[in-house]
Amino acid sequence: MPTPILVVDDSAMARKMLIKALPKNWNVDITQACNGIEALAAYRAGKADVMFLDLTMPVMDGYAVLETLQKEGLNSYVVVVSADIQVLARERVRQLGAAAFVQKPVKASDIEIILREYGIAL
């Protein structure tokens, strides 16, 4: 059975690049969202066992998504994918429950390492 993956970024190009960086042998069902509102709707529809989440988006940013997941006790393995590499940004997303942080542009090797580190079967 495929793993439901949610890729959230306001840039269609960034979503495409991230999807391309996913392990080729990983059996996934990919859903895309371009803002936090869409991301939460997809999550609630069961489409986000693993979520790749950008921080800077219109309508609702990645921080607000993480805060909502935390407040509502929702459980998803969230990998933040962002160009914002400031230490404070990394610390904040960890406090909000993100499992990992990947810098843009993403590299396939980084994604695979993170997934294996957290025991996600590929």
Side-chain angles (χ1 to χ4, degrees):
M1 184 164 182
T3 302
I5 302 299
L6 178 59
V7 177
V8 187
D9 199 304
D10 58 316
S11 164
M13 179 61 77
R15 292 192 308 267
K16 183 178 180 178
M17 289 174 62
L18 192 136
I19 290 166
K20 202 171 186 175
L22 296 176
K24 303 297 178 230
N25 58 336
W26 194 16
N27 184 16
V28 295
D29 180 20
I30 299 170
T31 300
Q32 297 182 46
C34 63
N35 63 56
I37 301 283
E38 290 180 6
L40 290 171
Y43 174 88
R44 291 180 175 118
K47 299 179 184 249
D49 282 4
V50 178
M51 182 185 309
F52 293 93
L53 179 66
D54 185 27
L55 292 178
T56 308
M57 298 178 289
V59 183
M60 176 187 258
D61 67 17
Y63 293 111
V65 171
L66 289 168
E67 288 169 357
T68 302
L69 291 172
Q70 192 175 58
K71 280 182 199 169
E72 296 182 14
L74 305 175
N75 189 18
S76 181
Y77 179 84
V78 180
V79 176
V80 169
V81 181
S82 180
D84 184 352
I85 58 167
Q86 298 175 60
V87 173
L88 290 177
R90 288 175 184 252
E91 289 174 6
R92 184 173 175 203
V93 298
R94 292 279 188 180
Q95 290 171 350
L96 290 171
F101 188 103
V102 177
Q103 184 178 345
K104 287 182 180 179
V106 296
K107 294 184 223 160
S109 58
D110 292 342
I111 297 289
E112 190 164 338
I113 288 167
I114 287 168
L115 295 174
R116 289 189 187 281
E117 183 177 304
Y118 286 92
I120 293 176
L122 302 178

